[in-house]
Amino acid sequence: MKNSLRMFLLGCLLLVGAAAQAQNRFSGVVLDSLTKEPLAFASVFLANTTFGSSTTDQGKFEISRVPNGTYDMVCSYVGYRLSKQSVTMSGPSQQFTLLLSPVGNSLGEVVIKPEPNKPEEYKQFSDLFLGGSQFSEQCHVSNPEAVRVFFDEEDKQLRARAKEYLQVDNDALGYRLKYFGLEFSYDPEDGSVSYYGQPVFEEMKPKDEAQQRLWAANRLKAYNGSFMHFLRSVYRNRLRTENFMAQQIKVTVNKRFGQTDSLRQMLLERHPDGSDLTKSEKDSLRLWSRSAPIYATLNPAALPIDSIRQVSADGKRVFLNFTGELQVAYFGEAPDPRYKQAMSPLGASRTAYPALREVSRLRLNGRRAEIQADGSLLNPLAVSVGEYWGFEKIGEFLPFDYVPTPPAAPPGKSK
């Protein structure tokens, strides 16, 4: 137990040390793109972090204590189009001039108000977006009127968009999340959910010290085993010591699936009620029903870190790089009780795996994916996750500048 705590504290110190090294500063001015007049009280922030600021009367802003890395700098102002640009912090200070374009209506233009959201469609969106975990139950959207939810008849998907931002108060983690430029879609056919935007986190004010301690404990619980935790452990080459195990999943395309599925459909069409099927035809149906378009085979051996982690020649860039799919297990934490899906098996092992574990799936959408030190991906669309990581949504969503802190010592015990 002491060794585990020592390793945990070491991991925390590494993160704190990395953050402390950079006392970098973003500063600049926000102007109207047409008049070049300064815009006062515009919101400027780095997406997916707690780093943000408002402009002064002269349109100036400053964001300090920013660690090195690449960020999406976002600027929002009522009546203007959302501005976003990718910026890389690699020095003590950088300056920017942000030009915002007004949205104003043309003279005589007829403004049509969107129809109110259908209650059943809004509820479906809210449930899918916030998630179904214990922490998700403590989240609520405080400006539901800001989102437009509709069923797209063209592609048969449920979609949601926010004209400015959607605000979510997470009473479990103590964050207020403003999700700018939200684009959400849900495909009822395959159950896939995707959403994209530029969120910014604000710390909520606790009512007392007990709530502050609860938020800290919940944040640590949300972090442990998360996708961000996994990426940080890969970046720092600490996969095993951080209680993760990666296994190879080989995905094979069944080239005969099209033919067998066609034969099955033809036989079912000839015998719609199934009452006059011969024994031979029943045997064929049973055989064809076991056929699948793809087969996934798990290699139970734990992958060495070099099989999934690639470092550039100069040692400055780290990538996820593997073939097929990964199955990733995190040991030592029980899954959320609202996660009803059985955990995927880990295969045979000489020593028993810990009973408490969370199992997820990971697939690259390209050749490789670059990881940053804060546990973010340079391209968030470079990977797809499933199983337990797919279950965790807004309820467990943490800013990329989050640093885990060790649990407070019990009263009367020394730290």
Side-chain angles (χ1 to χ4, degrees):
M1 181 64 183
K2 290 182 179 179
N3 288 337
S4 299
L5 180 58
R6 189 178 296 113
M7 294 306 295
F8 174 83
L9 291 172
L10 177 60
C12 294
L13 289 172
L14 286 171
L15 278 173
V16 172
Q21 289 173 9
Q23 302 295 323
N24 302 325
R25 181 169 62 93
F26 282 117
S27 62
V29 62
V30 179
L31 306 176
D32 183 300
S33 64
L34 301 179
T35 66
K36 301 302 186 290
E37 291 292 321
L39 297 177
F41 311 114
S43 296
V44 183
F45 62 90
L46 305 182
N48 291 291
T49 74
T50 59
F51 298 118
S53 177
S54 295
T55 57
T56 64
D57 292 342
Q58 292 77 40
K60 296 180 179 179
F61 69 90
E62 180 178 306
I63 305 174
S64 58
R65 301 179 64 84
V66 181
N68 289 342
T70 298
Y71 302 90
D72 283 336
M73 178 181 285
V74 182
C75 185
S76 171
Y77 194 72
V78 176
Y80 287 76
R81 300 185 189 282
L82 193 71
S83 168
K84 184 186 79 169
Q85 66 181 86
S86 179
V87 296
T88 299
M89 173 56 78
S90 58
S93 64
Q94 294 186 44
Q95 290 190 325
F96 298 88
T97 297
L98 305 180
L99 302 177
L100 297 192
S101 302
V103 181
N105 297 322
S106 301
L107 186 63
E109 180 180 350
V110 178
V111 178
I112 302 175
K113 287 188 67 176
E115 296 180 4
N117 294 320
K118 295 180 180 179
E120 64 276 12
E121 291 181 346
Y122 177 80
K123 184 179 186 309
Q124 189 175 30
F125 153 74
S126 179
D127 291 346
L128 291 167
F129 181 63
L130 298 180
S133 68
Q134 287 183 322
F135 290 165
S136 292
E137 286 192 352
Q138 300 177 59
C139 296
H140 65 275
V141 177
S142 60
N143 61 340
E145 72 285 348
V147 64
R148 174 77 176 98
V149 184
F150 60 97
F151 187 77
D152 193 329
E153 293 291 348
E154 186 173 340
D155 58 10
K156 306 300 180 185
Q157 294 195 11
L158 183 73
R159 298 190 178 278
R161 292 172 183 157
K163 183 177 181 181
E164 190 174 353
Y165 64 84
L166 187 70
Q167 180 170 307
V168 178
D169 291 346
N170 189 332
D171 295 327
L173 303 184
Y175 288 117
R176 177 167 292 114
L177 178 69
K178 291 184 177 179
Y179 216 107
F180 287 81
L182 174 67
E183 292 282 346
F184 169 95
S185 65
Y186 165 63
D187 189 338
E189 185 173 336
D190 61 12
S192 62
V193 174
S194 64
Y195 48 89
Y196 179 76
Q198 292 79 44
V200 61
F201 291 80
E202 297 175 4
E203 294 268 3
M204 295 170 65
K205 186 177 180 180
K207 61 183 178 182
D208 51 34
E209 289 186 7
Q211 186 173 54
Q212 183 66 65
R213 288 195 298 270
L214 177 62
W215 284 349
N218 286 348
R219 290 174 186 179
L220 183 59
K221 183 175 178 61
Y223 173 76
N224 285 336
S226 66
F227 186 49
M228 180 169 71
H229 184 190
F230 169 75
L231 291 178
R232 287 181 179 181
S233 71
V234 173
Y235 186 90
R236 301 196 308 271
N237 194 10
R238 292 174 53 84
L239 198 67
R240 186 173 180 180
T241 55
E242 298 270 345
N243 295 325
F244 285 101
M245 179 181 72
Q247 296 169 297
Q248 181 72 59
I249 296 177
K250 183 180 179 182
V251 179
T252 306
V253 176
N254 182 3
K255 297 180 179 179
R256 299 183 60 186
F257 177 76
Q259 179 184 1
T260 56
D261 191 57
S262 177
L263 292 171
R264 186 178 67 87
Q265 293 291 345
M266 289 172 56
L267 186 55
L268 290 175
E269 288 174 6
R270 291 202 304 267
H271 306 275
D273 58 1
S275 59
D276 54 346
L277 285 169
T278 66
K279 182 179 183 304
S280 176
E281 289 172 333
K282 289 179 181 179
D283 290 341
S284 295
L285 280 178
R286 277 194 294 269
L287 179 63
W288 293 336
S289 66
R290 299 189 191 121
S291 179
I294 59 173
Y295 293 112
T297 306
L298 174 71
N299 184 341
L303 285 172
I305 188 68
D306 292 341
S307 296
I308 65 174
R309 178 180 185 266
Q310 181 185 22
V311 181
S312 62
D314 59 8
K316 295 181 178 180
R317 301 170 70 191
V318 179
F319 302 86
L320 273 177
N321 188 9
F322 56 88
T323 58
E325 294 187 11
L326 290 187
Q327 178 169 280
V328 180
Y330 176 72
F331 299 113
E333 183 174 88
D336 190 288
R338 285 165 177 72
Y339 185 71
K340 301 304 181 184
Q341 182 178 334
M343 291 294 169
S344 293
L346 305 181
S349 173
R350 292 182 179 180
T351 57
Y353 292 117
L356 296 181
R357 59 178 180 260
E358 299 159 353
V359 184
S360 305
R361 290 279 285 269
L362 176 63
R363 183 183 73 246
L364 290 175
N365 295 328
R367 188 170 64 89
R368 62 183 186 176
E370 184 170 353
I371 310 171
Q372 301 201 91
D374 60 6
S376 65
L377 292 169
L378 194 61
N379 175 12
L381 303 179
V383 302
S384 296
V385 299
E387 295 193 20
Y388 197 75
W389 283 337
F391 165 76
E392 294 182 317
K393 292 191 172 67
I394 295 299
E396 288 72 30
F397 195 19
L398 292 165
F400 288 137
D401 54 303
Y402 168 75
V403 177
T405 55
K413 296 281 183 91
S414 63
K415 294 181 180 180

